Amino acid sequence: MSFNTFSDLFYENAFVHRHLGNSTDEEQALLSAVGAKTLDEFVDSVVPQSVRLGKELDLPTAVSEHNALAKLKSMADKITVAKSYIGQGYSPARLPAVIQRNVLENPGWYTAYTPYQAEIAQGRLEALLNFQQVCIDLTGMDLAGASLLDEATAAAEAMAMAKRCSKSKSNAFFVDSRTYPQTLDVINTRAKYFGFDVVVGDFDTAKNGDFFGAFFQYVGKDGDVVDLTDVISAVKAKNTYAIVASDIMSLVLLKSPAQMGADIALGSTQRFGIPMGFGGPHAAYFAFKDKDKRSAPGRIIGVSKDAQGGTALRMALQTREQHIRREKANSNICTSQVLLANLAGMYAVYHGATGLKRIASRIHALAVAFYNAVKGEFTTASDVFFDTVTVKTDKASELVKSAKAKGYNLFHKDDLVGVSFHELTDEKEFNELCEIFGVSGNLDTVENVLGELNRTDDILTHPTFNSYHTEHQMLRYLKSLEDKDLAMNRSMISLGSCTMKLNATSEMLPITWNEFANVHPFAPADDTVGYIEMIESLQTQLKAITGFDEISMQPNSGASGEYAGLLAIRRYHESRGDNNRTVCLIPRSAHGTNPATAQMMGMQVVVVATDENGNVDFNDLTAKCEEHSANLGALMITYPSTHGVFEEGIRDICELIHKHGGQVYMDGANMNAQVAIMQPAEVGADVLHMNLHKTFCIPHGGGGPGMGPIGLKSHLAPFIPSHSVNPVFNAQDGQTAVSAAPYGSASILPISWMYITMMGRDGLLSATKRALLNANYVATMLKDDYPVLYTGKNGRVAHECIIDIRPLKAETGITETDIAKRLMDYGFHAPTMSFPVAGTLMIEPTESESKDELDRFISALKQIKQEALKVQAGLEGWTADNNPLVNAPHTQAVIVGEWDRPYSREVAAFPLDYIKAHKFWPTVGRVDDVYGDKNLICSCPSIENYE
């Protein structure tokens, strides 16, 4: 090959070619297979001209990986990483290096998907079970979930759960005045549209009032620790549901919430090794009593058994419950914080009870030593505290300014100055803090001021927390779990609607840079100039891509983005006096989170029919618009449709909604088919949420983290969420928050910034075209074996296709579940199963998969079809209840054990030749879901079960 220009030699668009999975020759082969001569001709046959953008995106061209990293580093250089003693729910923490390298920075952990296919997710399921056990032990509760998004939204979920569980007839919810302001902020947002009255007050207010729920902060915002037993007893006597928010590290030393009578205990696990990251991502814990387990939000990991009777883990009770209960769902939570929960759980595994007690005791003893030093010179807020000493002084501003000059950030509000000690505090920093306050301290004696609040019961007694305290042991434990899971470092994950894209290493590197990882979300503005510059730059990129006038970066999941989008719509209507506009039209094909979100926003869900092609039934939509015209608030629509088709009439749909006074909310789940080809704002959407963990390459992390920023047109822009502690730079005052931190999970935003910067204007267009081509190639190659359920006008699909398993099931008895489990034997994760249509598989290959990988996947599904036909014909003794499909997946233990099946071991484990070169072994057989729900165990089983 010859290089004719310096542009060729500098090769700034190198990453584009690394991101896209096919060479020019491969692309031509794909085009030939789908009956197209050129890529542009093909795209014209897929995407309706009526929605085409017709111009280039207003973005720069591609930048090489090293130059993009250098550009991002220039922003990071404008971030000051001070010594943070602000506290308020966020503290510096030390992630053990063995966990950072082997989990956080390991694609075997961060590229995995939510563990819906339990047999190939046993590693992260065990890690999540560990996390649940930590939460159960420290809170004293019966059960705990597998994480929520952050502490503030967990508090809001607890409020909603209290209403479901409480026997009180009251509509009022009490909030302890000692609660963190960001938590109160989110509670207020959520309460308004549930129609709850929030009452903030002291303990006497709680005791004397009538409330369906009461929320208490165990370590108060000023650091005081108070025994809540009496106030909880008093409110529960009135059928009030008691909720306690606790610092997870404090619970290592403190009497548990359960001992004080709490019904729910919640908080952040950030202190268990997770960087502050300017606010996230951080896993919240949520623990509760057994009697209320079916009312809890989010996910629970449970212990069940597999087909051979061995221990096997799975998601219990709540698995995709939004898609079953829809607007009656407990919450709209879809993404949790699995990767962060795994990190926090492993932090506890690594340190064990002794290590955690050493860390917590050191934090407390430092705080006590500092208290002893300052109490003679200053008035202190409390004499009983865990980690925070707050003083009251008329020289507060001068103290904080002096601390800042020496590289320390302290908490400051009015005449209060708070110093929150943490895991990283050493003797040098302790002495410097004493100097700042003009006092002399000493660390001669370890003291404890918790008195009767000191914990007396044992924690973390399970063998898992007492077995892996050396580097070798921990390394091998982490590797053993990783090897049980199928992630994207092994093979493609073709989940439709979930857009499992390449998470390039260059995109991931900056998340552990000191500047992005270790900044407090409430740090002074002059410390965070570079962070805001990066966020604003990403907003500019997303505006160019979507066509919207404003972007809110606060929502920290797709479901949170849905909520923020409808929130902006409701606030807009209210600003115009249209408080009655509460009807939300939702197509029958919509994501289950859509109706759940609308219900949470106090809206009435009205379902709109879809036609035989999967499109919105325009006649039914027209009728519903006319019926509800006076009260129409919004339409929630996914584009391309949830059925994987570009609807021709999207502009007409938007115009119809606007004609009746409503707003159009577009779900961005399928945005990977849109970028640079069309713009949501241009076709008529008023607000859109963007799944950065889908289209923009933030990895799924085994079920989270995610980010769901929203784009809005100018009339909705005034209604984006701000923040009560650290106002959002592009938001208006008075708009309450939807997440705990001003910019959501800010520390993972560099991933999307890097992706867009390295792809550039032309690369993004190429990616979208290739995503469409790959999906149509898969559909074309499979259509003779499996009917493709929905296509557009020219027989094309968008970026995903739905294959119908129902005819095969009718003929052979083989189900979509059998196919999903059999695919594991072929080394693949199943496509999305039975969504949006029962009895189907929805396949989305994304743009980064090579033709070879697509062909391996296609050959697997074709071979499975032939196996199903053998069952139908009864060939070789294969019966309906004994064949490779219903017995799948096949573990090594099954293959080497006694064999009396009517097919060979080779057919079971190596049905195609390519598998022999890179065999993935599921570690458990098919998991018994019914047994797991009937015998719900959500804590770590005894170690013998793992042997």
Side-chain angles (χ1 to χ4, degrees), residues 326-345:
R326 297 177 76 80
E327 68 268 21
K328 294 183 177 66
N330 288 332
S331 72
N332 72 339
I333 292 169
C334 192
T335 304
S336 54
Q337 301 282 25
V338 169
L339 184 63
L340 291 312
N342 287 341
L343 293 174

Side-chain angles (χ1 to χ4, degrees), residues 302-332:
V303 181
S304 186
K305 64 179 184 179
D306 72 357
Q308 286 71 52
T311 298
L313 310 178
R314 56 183 281 278
M315 292 202 295
L317 300 182
Q318 277 84 351
T319 302
R320 306 207 83 171
E321 61 109 34
Q322 298 100 335
H323 296 298
I324 300 167
R325 305 185 68 214
R326 297 177 76 80
E327 68 268 21
K328 294 183 177 66
N330 288 332
S331 72
N332 72 339

Side-chain angles (χ1 to χ4, degrees), residues 10-266:
F10 285 122
Y11 200 27
E12 281 297 297
N13 63 343
F15 178 78
V16 176
H17 299 290
R18 298 190 202 286
H19 179 79
L20 299 178
N22 293 304
S23 66
T24 302
D25 290 343
E26 287 181 318
E27 183 178 289
Q28 286 302 314
L30 297 176
L31 287 168
S32 177
V34 301
K37 294 180 180 177
T38 68
L39 189 56
D40 286 339
E41 173 196 308
F42 162 74
V43 172
D44 286 343
S45 72
V46 176
V47 187
Q49 286 299 319
S50 60
V51 304
R52 295 292 291 273
L53 182 58
K55 63 179 182 181
E56 292 182 331
L57 293 181
D58 184 18
L59 285 173
T61 54
V63 175
S64 64
E65 295 175 56
H66 59 275
N67 281 333
L69 285 166
K71 189 175 180 181
L72 189 62
K73 187 64 170 69
S74 71
M75 298 185 208
D77 287 342
K78 300 173 191 174
I79 300 170
T80 299
V81 184
K83 297 178 178 67
S84 181
Y85 285 78
I86 298 171
Q88 298 296 297
Y90 303 91
S91 293
R94 181 173 287 117
L95 180 61
V98 66
I99 300 174
Q100 176 171 323
R101 174 62 58 86
N102 294 288
V103 181
L104 179 59
E105 297 174 353
N106 181 352
W109 286 88
Y110 67 69
T111 69
Y113 187 63
T114 307
Y116 291 137
Q117 297 294 342
E119 294 83 356
I120 51 175
Q122 289 297 297
R124 85 198 85 119
L125 285 166
E126 182 175 330
L128 287 173
L129 199 71
N130 292 344
F131 173 83
Q132 289 180 178
Q133 187 67 60
V134 172
C135 301
I136 290 168
D137 276 17
L138 291 176
T139 64
M141 307 302 285
D142 300 325
L143 296 172
S147 82
L148 295 180
L149 295 174
D150 59 39
E151 181 167 335
T153 51
E157 295 291 349
M159 173 177 65
M161 182 171 164
K163 188 64 175 174
R164 291 192 292 273
C165 296
S166 172
K167 295 178 181 178
S168 170
K169 302 298 183 184
S170 171
N171 203 45
F173 183 73
F174 170 81
V175 178
D176 180 359
S177 58
R178 301 159 55 258
T179 296
Y180 292 138
Q182 67 268 24
T183 302
L184 177 59
D185 203 5
V186 174
I187 287 173
N188 280 329
T189 304
R190 197 78 65 90
K192 177 176 179 180
Y193 295 99
F194 278 142
F196 302 157
D197 299 318
V198 175
V199 177
V200 180
D202 58 17
F203 290 175
D204 285 340
T205 306
K207 292 176 180 177
N208 297 325
D210 184 15
F211 307 103
F212 69 82
F215 181 91
F216 301 100
Q217 193 91 41
Y218 195 10
V219 176
K221 62 183 179 181
D222 295 332
D224 62 317
V225 182
V226 181
D227 193 332
L228 302 172
T229 305
D230 290 344
V231 67
I232 287 176
S233 177
V235 300
K236 289 181 73 170
K238 296 183 176 182
N239 292 321
T240 301
Y241 208 73
I243 303 159
V244 173
S246 305
D247 175 341
I248 192 77
M249 187 62 79
S250 75
L251 292 183
V252 175
L253 300 186
L254 287 173
K255 179 178 173 180
S256 74
Q259 283 181 291
M260 296 186 293
D263 295 298
I264 296 175
L266 62 88

Side-chain angles (χ1 to χ4, degrees), residues 344-574:
M346 288 304 169
Y347 179 91
V349 170
Y350 179 78
H351 287 295
T354 300
L356 288 181
K357 287 177 182 177
R358 180 180 292 112
I359 294 167
S361 297
R362 182 174 72 241
I363 292 169
H364 180 61
L366 284 162
V368 175
F370 184 74
Y371 165 80
N372 288 335
V374 300
K375 66 181 180 181
E377 300 293 329
F378 296 91
T379 301
T380 56
S382 176
D383 298 330
V384 182
F385 47 85
F386 167 61
D387 64 344
T388 299
V389 178
T390 300
V391 303
K392 187 173 184 179
T393 172
D394 57 4
K395 296 181 179 179
S397 296
E398 290 91 330
L399 265 177
V400 171
K401 187 175 180 180
S402 175
K404 183 90 167 66
K406 294 185 179 181
Y408 290 80
N409 286 336
L410 310 180
F411 173 74
H412 178 212
K413 186 174 177 60
D414 301 326
D415 59 354
L416 297 178
V417 178
V419 182
S420 292
F421 291 85
H422 50 75
E423 181 183 3
L424 274 59
T425 305
D426 57 17
E427 186 171 2
K428 179 175 179 289
E429 290 189 10
F430 172 82
N431 289 328
E432 288 178 349
L433 285 165
C434 288
E435 288 175 14
I436 289 166
F437 279 76
V439 297
S440 177
N442 73 77
L443 299 180
D444 295 337
T445 306
V446 172
E447 292 187 54
N448 178 303
V449 298
L450 299 175
E452 293 183 358
L453 283 170
N454 271 295
R455 186 164 206 134
T456 57
D457 56 322
D458 292 330
I459 58 169
L460 305 183
T461 58
H462 189 274
T464 299
F465 303 102
N466 295 279
S467 301
Y468 310 110
H469 301 321
T470 70
E471 182 87 6
H472 258 147
Q473 290 169 323
M474 191 68 187
L475 182 67
R476 290 167 181 165
Y477 179 55
L478 294 174
K479 180 60 176 171
S480 73
L481 297 188
E482 179 194 348
D483 286 347
K484 294 180 181 181
D485 286 15
L486 192 149
M488 287 185 67
N489 62 340
R490 287 185 178 269
S491 61
M492 71 182 279
I493 298 180
S494 62
L495 288 150
S497 186
C498 300
T499 317
M500 297 294 291
K501 290 179 67 152
L502 168 70
N503 312 122
T505 307
S506 291
E507 295 158 10
M508 299 300 295
L509 290 175
I511 68 168
T512 51
W513 288 357
N514 184 45
E515 298 89 345
F516 289 126
N518 295 313
V519 174
H520 194 289
F522 308 153
D526 57 354
D527 282 7
T528 61
V529 171
Y531 232 126
I532 298 301
E533 183 180 343
M534 182 273 294
I535 292 170
E536 200 165 12
S537 178
L538 178 56
Q539 288 177 326
T540 299
Q541 292 172 333
L542 295 176
K543 287 178 188 177
I545 290 167
T546 63
F548 285 106
D549 302 305
E550 192 56 271
I551 305 286
S552 169
M553 301 304 295
Q554 191 174 109
N556 54 2
S557 75
S560 180
E562 287 182 19
Y563 186 87
L566 286 192
L567 176 65
I569 289 172
R570 287 224 59 185
R571 286 172 169 173
Y572 166 74
H573 287 313
E574 289 166 0

Side-chain angles (χ1 to χ4, degrees), residues 813-815 818 822 879-889 903 926:
I814 297 301
T815 68
D818 296 327
R822 182 60 171 152
T879 60
D881 61 353
N882 194 1
N883 61 71
L885 294 126
V886 299
N887 290 336
Y903 52 93
R926 193 173 302 194

